[in-house]
Amino acid sequence: MSETKSAQFTVGKLDAGMALLLTEDYQLIEFPSVLLPHGVVLGSVVNIDVGRDRDTERRQRSDFRELQEHILETFGARRPQAPVIRVGHTTQTWAVIEWEPLELAAAELRSLHLYRDGQRMMQPMPATAELADRARAVKTTGLDVGQTYEFKIEMRTSAGTFFSNTVSLTTHALDNLTGVRVCFGDCDSQEESDGLKDSLRRVGASWTDSVSLGVTHFVARYKTGVGYEAALRYNVPVVTPDWVLACEANGKLQPAIKFHLE
């Protein structure tokens, strides 16, 4: 329903897209000339109807409330959640910290930071939410043998800063080889590879078919193959099979540098 009021005006001036209109009681108003009928000139008399459309007002108010509720639901009702982390793999000198997919709601990820024993580390971390959800793990190195550490992650977003739960881990002693995880490259024969796997099994170590963040050593006699290239990308020590035999013979982890594949 609309309410309309009419008024009569005389065109007093046309200038720069505006018309000066004069009422019968000599009230002067400015009016956009583009809204006047075609052919209006100085001295023309025009009738202008001004109406209020209450139905449209109610519809627009309803649409605006729905928009506000949608904005609240999208940006206000859901908040980012603190990261959830866990210990992935532990060795004598490094560990892998893993996290669940980040829940950012409508916020943007600003940065991720790793803390060790309450101190922020200069540890490279994924720079975007997409990279963080793709990686979901980080290797932290430079740990001391047989020491206990606490780790947590700080997540900075456009909606605030959130800290993860704190996880505790203890690095392995030198005679604890359960954290050793080997990937094999090209050896002299399948029999040699099988014998090396038997040695790893006897000392409590493990092996895998592909290089990943949790692989500690790449064992091969030749610098060939996809696995060797992956080991270089992941900065995994490449050692000869003699390293496996030396670990079993000595009952403890041996320095990789002494068995580096030349």
Side-chain angles (χ1 to χ4, degrees):
M1 179 176 60
S2 62
E3 302 171 0
T4 304
K5 185 176 181 179
S6 298
Q8 190 175 80
F9 300 88
T10 300
V11 179
K13 184 179 181 180
L14 293 170
D15 182 40
M18 297 298 295
L20 295 180
L21 305 182
L22 188 64
T23 67
E24 294 178 349
D25 55 355
Y26 306 109
Q27 299 291 325
L28 191 66
I29 68 170
E30 291 185 347
F31 194 81
S33 59
V34 70
L35 298 180
L36 294 175
H38 180 70
V40 167
V41 296
L42 184 66
S44 296
V45 177
V46 295
N47 293 321
I48 297 177
D49 296 332
V50 180
R52 181 179 181 181
D53 193 338
R54 294 186 181 274
D55 291 337
T56 301
E57 287 181 11
R58 283 191 290 269
R59 184 172 63 254
Q60 289 180 344
R61 281 196 295 267
S62 177
D63 292 343
F64 183 66
R65 283 195 296 269
E66 290 179 3
L67 176 61
Q68 287 182 311
E69 291 173 357
H70 175 70
I71 293 174
L72 176 62
E73 175 64 24
T74 303
F75 298 100
R78 295 175 57 242
R79 286 176 52 80
Q81 301 298 310
V84 177
I85 67 172
R86 60 179 177 270
V87 178
H89 191 73
T90 305
T91 68
Q92 280 76 9
T93 58
W94 57 261
V96 173
I97 306 298
E98 301 175 346
W99 56 83
E100 297 294 325
L102 302 180
E103 297 185 18
L104 294 170
E108 295 181 358
L109 179 65
R110 297 285 173 79
S111 60
L112 287 174
H113 304 283
L114 182 66
Y115 282 72
R116 184 178 75 189
D117 293 337
Q119 298 295 318
R120 178 175 161 181
M121 303 178 62
M122 300 301 293
Q123 172 77 45
M125 298 287 284
T128 66
E130 180 181 356
L131 293 175
D133 283 341
R134 188 186 307 165
R136 293 179 56 183
V138 64
K139 178 191 287 187
T140 175
T141 60
L143 307 181
D144 293 329
V145 176
Q147 297 296 313
T148 300
Y149 298 93
E150 290 187 344
F151 291 92
K152 64 181 178 181
I153 284 179
E154 177 190 31
M155 181 177 73
R156 297 183 179 180
T157 75
S158 57
T161 300
F162 303 84
F163 283 93
S164 73
N165 57 304
T166 300
V167 295
S168 178
L169 64 87
T170 301
T171 54
H172 294 176
L174 290 178
D175 59 357
N176 181 355
L177 300 179
T178 57
V180 172
R181 184 175 295 167
V182 169
C183 181
F184 287 99
D186 293 333
C187 294
D188 283 337
S189 64
Q190 184 62 45
E191 289 76 13
E192 182 181 39
S193 297
D194 292 340
L196 295 172
K197 291 177 181 179
D198 289 337
S199 295
L200 292 173
R201 188 181 297 109
R202 285 191 291 269
V203 299
S206 61
W207 64 89
T208 181
D209 294 329
S210 59
V211 177
S212 65
L213 202 62
V215 169
T216 61
H217 298 79
F218 186 80
V219 177
R221 288 202 181 276
Y222 308 99
K223 297 180 178 181
T224 57
V226 176
Y228 174 75
E229 299 296 332
L232 297 182
R233 289 197 304 271
Y234 277 87
N235 200 27
V236 175
V238 180
V239 295
T240 65
D242 295 335
W243 174 83
V244 176
L245 302 177
C247 288
E248 182 182 19
N250 292 275
K252 62 180 181 180
L253 186 69
Q254 297 299 298
I257 192 171
K258 293 182 178 180
F259 301 90
H260 181 68
L261 179 61
E262 299 294 341

